[in-house]
Amino acid sequence: MSKASVLCSYLDGGSGMPTYLLDIIQKHFHIVWLEDFEKDSSKCSNNILAILNVHGQPKVTQSLLERLPNLKLVAVVGVGYNHIDTKLLHSFNVKLSNTPFVLDDATADLGMTLLMAAGRNLCAVKDFAMAPDTTELQFNEVSCDVSSTTLGIVGMGRVGYKVAQRAKGFEMKILYHNRNQRPSVDEKAINATYYKTLNEMLPLCDYVMVTVCLTPETTNIMGAEQFKLMKSTAILVNISRGATVDQDALLKALNGGDIGFAALDVTSPEPLPRDHPLLKARNILITPHVGSATLTTRRKMMQKAMNNVLAAAEGKPLPSEVKL
Amino acid sequence: MSKASVLCSYLDGGSGMPTYLLDIIQKHFHIVWLEDFEKDSSKCSNNILAILNVHGQPKVTQSLLERLPNLKLVAVVGVGYNHIDTKLLHSFNVKLSNTPFVLDDATADLGMTLLMAAGRNLCAVKDFAMAPDTTELQFNEVSCDVSSTTLGIVGMGRVGYKVAQRAKGFEMKILYHNRNQRPSVDEKAINATYYKTLNEMLPLCDYVMVTVCLTPETTNIMGAEQFKLMKSTAILVNISRGATVDQDALLKALNGGDIGFAALDVTSPEPLPRDHPLLKARNILITPHVGSATLTTRRKMMQKAMNNVLAAAEGKPLPSEVKL
C-alpha cells in the first residue's frame, strides 16, 4: 500500500517547508505540494490525511477543506493557532493539533537574548565597534545593568517560568503577573513575587517581558496606561504575540520617553509594513519571530507534528490535540 | 587647606573621563586636566597626589612621573593593568591600584549576552527584520541552541564563575579549564567538570568562553591548535583581553570553517585597525570593550578608585593595591 499524503505549502523560503525537516515527514508520508494540488487536485485529494501548517501556510480555507474529503487533521507546526478558523474545522469534522512544550526552552532563551541585547545596547555597540570610521573607543558610553535589576514577567506559563529560571542566574529580582498565583514551591524555586494586578507590578520593573498566550483578555494587555506606569528607563520585551502589545501606544511611549526601549520578536502583522513608524524608532530592536528558530527545536516540533498525524492515521488519541 | 589634586586625561569622548563620574572625584579632590598640566605644570604639579588612569589614559611615562614630585599612586579605573610599566612605578616609589570585584557581574553579563547573541544570530536576524526590503518572514532560517548545550570556560576566576552561574539557568553543561581545580563545593554549585588540559576540553564544547587574566602563560592560549580541536560549529567568546586569542589563527579558523563564529569584546589592539581582516569576516561579532560599561558599574569602579586614592592620601593600606 502506498504511503498516505500530507499537504504542504511549498519548499524553502518565506513560510515554506524547510528542507531540513523533509526527512522527518517523508519517513512516514508522501508530501503533496500546494502548487501541484492546485493544478490537479483530483489525482491526490483522496489520499491527503493532514495539512501541515507552517507559519500559517497553507491557509486553511473552506474552499481547501471542501476539496479534501479524507482530511483528518490540521497539524500546526508551532504553538499559537489564532490564525486557524476552529469553527470551520469543527464543521468539517477535522481535528487540530499543535506542538507545545518542545519550543519552550528556545523561546525562553530568545527572550533572555533580547532582554540582554536591549539592556547592554548590543547592536549599537557592535555597529560602533565594526564601523569603517571608528578609530577610538568611547569610555563614556554606558548601557543598563542586567544583574540585580528587577524583571516583571507578564504571564507565568511554561515559557515565563523558564525565563525566570534563566533570570535567576543573573540574580534578578523576579515579579510576575498571571491570572492565577503559582504554587509557593514554584515561586520559591525562582524567588518570584506574585502581583494579581499588572498595574501594581509595572512601576517596579527595570525589564518587563510579555510571555502570555494571545486571548481576547490579553490583547493589548500592554497599552498606553501600562507604559505610563513603567519606569522611563524600562525595557519592554515581547516574545508572545504581536497583538498583546498596543503598537500605537508603544510608539508614543518610545518616542515620548515613557519607557526606554523595546525588543520585540513578534509584531502585528509580521513582518511590519516597511513604512511602519516602529521601524524608525531609535530605541527599538525587532527580530523576525525566531523564538523557536533553532535547528534542534524545529526538528522536535516537526516530530511532534508527525506524532499527531500518525495518531490521526491510526484513529488513536492525538498527543497534543487542540480541542475545538 | 585646599583639596589635593588628581591628574586626569580629558573630559568625555574617547578614553576621556566621563561627566557622569566627576561628582565622585570632586567630592574629595580637585581635578587637573592633562592639557592644563602640560601648559604649565609648575602651577599644580606639587599638589597632584594620584593619576586616575581610565582606558589607559593619561599614559604613565617616565617624563610624566618626573614632573610629579608628590605623586603617591596610579589608580587604574579597571582591573587589567598590562598597559602600566610596573617597574617604572616601583622605581619612582609610586603605588598602583585597580578596581577588582565591582565589575565582575557586568562583565559576566556581557559574556552571556555575546554568547546568546552569537548563538541565536541576533544581529543578522535583527537586520533582516528591520531591513527596508523585507516583506516575508523566513521559516527556514535557523540558529544554534543555547539551552542544554555545552559551555567550556577557559579560566575559572571570579568572572568565569559568574558566567557559569548564569549558564546554569540555561541548563548548559559546564566544563572548565583552570590552573587549579576549584573546591568541589564550588564545582557542585554550578555542576562544573574540571579539565586540567585545555585541549581535552575543547572538542566537547558548543561554546568556549575565555575569561582568563592576561599573563605570559595565557597569551595566545587560543591558537591554531586549539581551533582545530573545536567543533566546526563551535562559538568562541572572548571577554578577557585581546591577546589571549591568536587573531591570525582565529581569522584562518573562521574563514576555513574550523569553528563557526566568534564574539569578541576585546581585541588587540583596540579598536582594530579599520583594514583588519577580522572586521570583514562574515561570522564574527565585535563589541568595543564594554564588559564593565554600565552606569552603575562604572560608578562603583570610580568609587573604588577613590577609596584607593583616599587611603594613599592618608598613608593607610590601599583597599585594592597591585603589588609591584
Side-chain angles (χ1 to χ4, degrees), chain A residues 79-80 103-115 151 153-155 158-164 166 208-214 222 236-245 262-267 270 285 287 289-292, chain B residues 120 122:
Chain A
V79 174
L103 44 64
D104 298 344
D105 279 310
T107 306
D109 286 353
L110 187 82
M112 284 303 289
T113 307
L114 289 176
L115 182 158
L151 168 62
I153 298 176
V154 182
R158 294 189 312 271
V159 172
Y161 198 80
K162 281 180 181 284
V163 167
R166 286 153 175 72
V208 172
M209 193 171 320
V210 185
T211 61
V212 285
C213 295
L214 180 62
M222 295 300 297
L236 174 77
V237 180
N238 189 7
I239 54 170
S240 62
R241 281 292 182 274
T244 59
V245 170
L264 312 175
D265 187 45
V266 286
T267 56
E270 288 171 357
L285 161 59
T287 51
H289 200 144
V290 290
S292 67
Chain B
R120 295 305 295 266
L122 184 79

Side-chain angles (χ1 to χ4, degrees), chain A residues 60-264:
Chain A
V60 181
T61 60
Q62 176 151 354
S63 140
L64 180 62
L65 294 175
E66 281 168 351
R67 287 176 286 159
L68 295 168
N70 294 314
L71 189 73
K72 289 195 163 61
L73 176 67
V74 171
V76 170
V77 186
V79 174
Y81 52 85
N82 53 298
H83 57 289
I84 302 284
D85 183 341
T86 52
K87 280 183 189 161
L88 181 70
L89 282 200
H90 187 70
S91 73
F92 276 83
N93 201 24
V94 169
K95 290 181 177 175
L96 177 65
S97 67
N98 65 350
T99 63
F101 303 105
V102 293
L103 44 64
D104 298 344
D105 279 310
T107 306
D109 286 353
L110 187 82
M112 284 303 289
T113 307
L114 289 176
L115 182 158
M116 301 180 70
R120 296 304 294 267
N121 205 18
L122 183 79
C123 296
V125 297
K126 174 250 183 190
D127 288 345
F128 171 78
M130 302 188 77
D133 55 349
T134 297
T135 55
E136 191 179 18
L137 301 188
Q138 294 290 327
F139 191 78
N140 59 338
E141 291 290 334
V142 284
S143 63
C144 303
D145 277 288
V146 175
S147 295
S148 304
T149 60
T150 298
L151 168 62
I153 298 176
V154 182
M156 189 61 106
R158 294 189 312 271
V159 172
Y161 198 80
K162 281 180 181 284
V163 167
Q165 287 174 318
R166 286 153 175 72
K168 191 184 166 216
F170 296 80
E171 296 174 68
M172 296 179 90
K173 188 172 173 182
I174 314 287
L175 317 180
Y176 75 102
H177 167 71
N178 203 35
R179 275 171 306 181
N180 304 307
Q181 185 164 6
R182 283 273 198 157
S184 77
V185 59
D186 289 1
E187 288 185 343
K188 275 184 190 149
I190 51 170
N191 298 329
T193 305
Y194 178 60
Y195 283 80
K196 189 162 182 57
T197 310
L198 174 62
N199 288 357
E200 280 177 25
M201 178 181 85
L202 293 174
L204 308 172
C205 302
D206 299 300
Y207 297 87
V208 172
M209 193 171 320
V210 185
T211 61
V212 285
C213 295
L214 180 62
T215 65
E217 291 73 35
T218 63
T219 299
N220 289 343
I221 192 169
M222 295 300 297
E225 184 186 351
Q226 284 66 44
F227 297 131
K228 291 273 182 212
L229 289 168
M230 286 167 67
K231 293 184 186 180
S232 62
T233 51
I235 291 172
L236 174 77
V237 180
N238 189 7
I239 54 170
S240 62
R241 281 292 182 274
T244 59
V245 170
D246 178 337
Q247 291 180 169
D248 294 336
L250 176 62
L251 181 70
K252 279 186 194 154
L254 287 170
N255 288 341
D258 291 335
I259 72 170
F261 199 93
L264 312 175

Side-chain angles (χ1 to χ4, degrees), chain B residues 265-307:
Chain B
D265 187 44
V266 287
T267 58
S268 179
E270 288 172 356
L272 290 174
R274 294 297 99 180
D275 59 354
H276 196 289
L278 272 180
L279 287 170
K280 296 185 180 50
R282 63 174 174 78
N283 43 359
I284 201 166
L285 162 60
I286 301 177
T287 51
H289 200 144
V290 289
S292 67
T294 77
L295 182 59
T296 320
T297 303
R298 287 279 165 83
R299 287 184 62 85
K300 283 182 189 164
M301 290 162 69
M302 183 52 81
Q303 188 56 60
K304 189 147 198 165
M306 279 301 108
N307 294 345

Side-chain angles (χ1 to χ4, degrees), chain B residues 3-10 17 25-26 29-41 43-52 58 68:
Chain B
K3 285 178 186 174
S5 298
V6 292
L7 183 66
C8 298
S9 56
Y10 54 93
M17 181 65 68
I25 308 171
Q26 289 171 333
F29 299 102
H30 176 71
I31 295 176
V32 175
W33 299 104
L34 189 62
E35 188 180 355
D36 299 329
F37 176 79
E38 296 288 9
K39 275 186 197 149
D40 185 2
S41 63
K43 268 209 302 197
C44 49
S45 62
N46 284 331
N47 204 31
I48 292 176
L49 173 72
I51 297 172
L52 278 183
L68 295 168

